Amino acid sequence: MSSPRRPASTHVLTVTYAGGEERRGPVTMGQANMIRCMLRDEPAHINIHDVWPVPAGTRTDAVVEALRSLVVRHEALRTTFPHAPGGPPREQAVASGGRFAVTVLDHAELPDDVLGYAESLARRAREEPFHLDRDFPLRIRLLTRAGAPVSVAMAASHAVTDAGALAVLKEEWLALLAGEELGPPASLTPLELAAEEASPAGLRTSEASLRHWERIIRTGPPAMFAEPGAQGAEVRTPLLTLRSRRAARALARVAARTGALPSTVLLTAWCALVAHRAGQDACVVAAPTSNRYHPRLARSVNTLSQDALLSLDVRVPSFDALLKKAWGAALNAYRHSRFDALRLWEVIDEATFERGSRFARDVVFNDVSTLPPTVASLTADGPGEPGAADPDGPELELAWGPEQVLPTRLLTFVHATGPLLHLGLWADPGLFGRAEAEGLLTGLVRLLEAAAAQDVPLASLTAATGVRPAERGHRWLRVDGSWTSPPLVAATLSRALDGLPVHVTADAPAGSAPTENARTENDRRENALTDDIPAGNALTAYIAAGDTPLTPARAHAALMDALPGRPGVLAPGRYVIVRHPPAEADRTSAWLHRQILGEGTGRQRPM
């Protein structure tokens, strides 16, 4: 007898389709954004997947016919991106006819966990890249038992689909299998959206979005988790799932007590908890589903994956006060979530060079619970657990799942807020061990329960949630909204300059009063021990160049090249170059007596 995880036979059905109009036009901003990622990232990290259970009694020809109908119905599934070698696609082409493949995997028997088996096949299908200029955007596997369809496992190109698009396709496919007739699509096609984005109003929207992003990138915390343990740009992270009736009841009571939407309450609680854990005055969070809140795009089969960037200042006395700010801040972020991704990266690179700190997409909060129902069955990495909205579900259940590589420190997907709160969390294991990650989610439940009864002072979050702020040690301080460690900056700059001696100190502006934690100006300059240097202060780097020709601009450029993956490193605001280090190289006062060969900000652009 064959293994239940090995098909008895495999064959490929070639499906032809015809219908619709052949069209060409520019790519959308969302397509350009995801194409950029597809050209840069590993296929398994950027492709997406889903699993569609087949209703019992469905025949293979019905499955195929429903898939064919979806392809004819949605232009995105008939779209390729022709382009010249060596450059990114700037145009999309919609075919009026063509063909696609369905690989049938027939089994004598299937494992008890059919969903898990199908998901493993879908994950495997993600590992091959999609050729943008010629490939059909869905890689489809049909699992059958003795010829009877059981499940569809697919990988999808992120250039034309996102989680919301796959959810819409699943809904419509199931409706077709049930014999329902579908009305005409109500959302903009990709080409219609591209035309709207290129209009004068669309261009103004994009420019306003870029200004919104630039303001946050230049003034907010560039990295939420700048602390020991935060290393590397991509991290292999396990999934932790929370399913809780307790949390859902508490969330509903907070919403009733305050009059706020449950989604806003949950976002506020998460931001308060994350900022508390990170020791930040603001929570900067990316919300990728924002563009589906536009009515003409809510059910779009297209990739709309562009972040809304929310910056929520948590310097308020209580949870209720923060909740009042959160709705407006979120709405403002959603309004500024359509932009030219290439222009945005120019803005990010410019701000990185001038501010001396690299923007990190540390916190991602993707609330799909308010979107079309089946979206809540998706995660960033695959289908959610069955029964997520089961009213008889657990009071509080935490379950660990598979790992995936992520370019973020804290990724949260909210699948449902009632009758269970169901969310998936990927937390950087360098910052959150398993106990700490579980404590973060149970802390969220405790915060919701506390806020359900009464307003919660934010100063009491440790007691209310059990979550403690990060312990950074006495050599970490906050400069220009960034947590940084002068010794870490010095070591990084020294390595970037091939081992030249470097000393970094924190300087207060002339005439400023000492902070509460800094007893004297000398203490601050010598030891850099305070954890609350006021905004506007800068670091100064003293570099002993010896006979090496060095300018502040070259020193700054070298450090900029070393920044990725080091969120605790902030470039000094001033570079002072001397010939030889003092005997007491750990004392700022000794460096002050060296002859200065050159000094400056280093921010001059090379000619």
Side-chain angles (χ1 to χ4, degrees):
M1 181 178 295
S2 64
S3 165
R5 288 185 177 268
R6 183 172 301 167
S9 66
T10 300
H11 65 279
V12 177
L13 300 175
T14 299
V15 185
T16 60
Y17 65 89
E21 181 184 355
E22 183 173 328
R23 303 205 291 162
R24 296 175 80 96
V27 297
T28 67
M29 293 178 180
Q31 287 172 335
N33 183 39
M34 295 316 304
I35 287 171
R36 178 185 178 277
C37 296
M38 290 177 71
L39 296 176
R40 179 196 63 195
D41 297 344
E42 291 295 321
H45 300 167
I46 191 61
N47 293 335
I48 58 177
H49 75 269
D50 196 12
V51 172
W52 299 354
V54 179
T58 304
R59 295 168 55 90
T60 297
D61 57 355
V63 170
V64 170
E65 189 57 38
L67 290 169
R68 190 197 328 260
S69 297
L70 292 179
V71 174
V72 173
R73 176 179 173 81
H74 295 291
E75 288 190 0
L77 301 184
R78 296 182 275 117
T79 295
T80 53
F81 301 90
H83 62 284
R90 301 186 183 277
E91 185 180 44
Q92 56 182 311
V94 180
S96 60
R99 63 184 62 187
F100 63 94
V102 176
T103 302
V104 181
L105 308 176
D106 191 38
H107 300 73
E109 57 179 316
L110 285 167
D112 293 336
D113 181 15
V114 176
L115 179 63
Y117 172 49
E119 186 187 355
S120 70
L121 294 176
R123 283 174 178 269
R124 202 175 307 155
R126 286 171 56 158
E127 296 173 359
E128 292 297 320
F130 284 91
H131 298 286
L132 294 165
D133 59 340
R134 61 182 185 272
D135 282 359
F136 182 69
L138 302 179
R139 197 169 287 142
I140 304 169
R141 308 284 187 268
L142 174 61
L143 280 66
T144 62
R145 181 192 293 112
V150 175
S151 185
V152 169
M154 70 171 65
S157 167
H158 219 331
V160 298
T161 60
D162 56 18
L166 289 183
V168 172
L169 290 173
K170 179 192 284 186
E171 276 190 356
E172 293 184 348
W173 181 72
L174 290 171
L176 289 168
L177 291 180
E180 299 178 21
E181 290 192 11
L182 301 177
S187 294
L188 295 177
T189 67
L191 283 172
E192 289 168 345
L193 177 58
E196 181 179 282
E197 291 173 343
S199 70
L203 294 175
R204 287 194 297 271
T205 296
S206 177
E207 288 298 318
S209 296
L210 292 176
R211 291 193 297 272
H212 169 83
W213 275 74
E214 184 172 17
R215 178 185 60 79
I216 294 174
I217 290 168
R218 287 187 179 275
T219 61
M224 286 298 294
F225 294 105
E227 59 187 71
Q231 297 180 0
E234 294 191 339
V235 182
R236 181 167 292 280
T237 308
L239 166 65
L240 176 61
T241 299
L242 167 71
R243 297 171 70 239
S244 174
R245 293 172 60 197
R246 271 178 53 191
R249 290 195 300 268
L251 178 59
R253 290 199 301 270
V254 180
R257 183 179 68 78
T258 62
L261 294 172
S263 58
T264 307
V265 172
L266 186 60
L267 174 64
T268 303
W270 190 242
C271 284
L273 196 61
V274 169
H276 170 70
R277 163 59 182 78
Q280 299 283 17
D281 291 336
C283 182
V284 175
V285 57
T289 59
S290 57
N291 284 327
R292 289 193 177 271
Y293 287 87
H294 295 276
R296 290 180 302 163
L297 296 174
R299 295 187 59 81
S300 176
V301 174
N302 187 9
T303 185
L304 303 177
S305 293
Q306 290 189 278
D307 288 344
L309 190 65
L310 168 69
S311 180
L312 184 59
D313 191 330
V314 299
R315 290 174 295 183
V316 293
S318 70
F319 182 86
D320 287 7
L322 188 62
L323 182 58
K324 290 177 181 177
K325 296 174 60 176
W327 170 244
L331 206 58
N332 192 42
Y334 298 149
R335 286 176 49 240
H336 294 106
S337 59
R338 188 186 295 181
F339 47 80
D340 182 330
L342 299 181
R343 286 276 315 280
L344 176 60
W345 278 103
E346 292 173 359
V347 168
I348 291 173
D349 289 343
E350 186 74 19
T352 294
F353 183 83
E354 294 178 3
R355 194 178 184 191
S357 54
R358 179 166 292 277
F359 171 72
R361 190 172 176 260
D362 271 358
V363 182
V364 180
F365 186 84
N366 207 3
D367 187 348
V368 298
S369 66
T370 59
L371 300 182
T374 55
V375 178
S377 71
L378 300 171
T379 71
D381 196 41
E385 300 172 20
D390 180 4
D392 297 323
E395 283 292 289
L396 195 156
E397 175 186 84
L398 295 171
W400 287 95
E403 294 183 340
Q404 67 172 320
V405 176
L406 296 171
T408 187
R409 307 287 176 192
L410 208 61
L411 168 63
T412 309
F413 262 68
V414 181
H415 306 294
T417 56
L420 278 80
L421 177 61
H422 175 212
L423 58 83
L425 173 71
W426 291 261
D428 181 351
L431 303 176
F432 300 90
R434 292 212 164 195
E436 289 82 5
E438 292 177 357
L440 195 65
L441 290 187
T442 55
L444 175 66
V445 176
R446 291 175 61 180
L447 176 56
L448 292 173
E449 290 180 328
Q454 60 186 5
D455 193 7
V456 178
L458 295 188
S460 69
L461 283 183
T462 298
T465 67
V467 176
R468 292 184 170 277
E471 296 183 3
R472 290 182 170 85
H474 66 280
R475 290 195 175 273
W476 285 77
L477 50 85
R478 192 162 47 212
V479 175
D480 188 28
S482 303
W483 280 103
T484 189
S485 164
L488 180 60
V489 174
T492 304
L493 180 55
S494 176
R495 284 194 297 271
L497 296 175
D498 297 324
L500 292 180
V502 176
H503 174 74
V504 175
T505 186
D507 295 313
S512 69
T515 65
E516 178 182 353
N517 294 327
R519 293 184 298 277
T520 67
E521 178 64 14
N522 186 61
D523 286 342
R524 184 187 355 253
R525 292 171 61 84
E526 295 285 47
N527 300 313
L529 303 186
T530 175
D531 63 357
D532 195 21
I533 298 293
N537 282 262
L539 300 179
T540 295
Y542 296 89
I543 308 168
D547 295 326
T548 302
L550 184 67
T551 64
R554 289 182 60 187
H556 185 66
L559 186 56
M560 289 297 95
D561 290 341
L563 276 189
R566 295 181 172 88
V569 176
L570 172 70
R574 187 167 66 109
Y575 297 87
V576 177
I577 300 170
V578 303
R579 189 169 301 279
H580 300 297
E584 296 180 287
D586 60 339
R587 294 179 62 83
T588 301
S589 57
W591 286 86
L592 292 173
H593 293 91
R594 301 281 92 183
Q595 181 182 0
I596 296 176
L597 303 179
E599 63 179 315
T601 67
R603 269 63 170 177
Q604 300 91 339
R605 287 286 186 182
M607 300 300 291

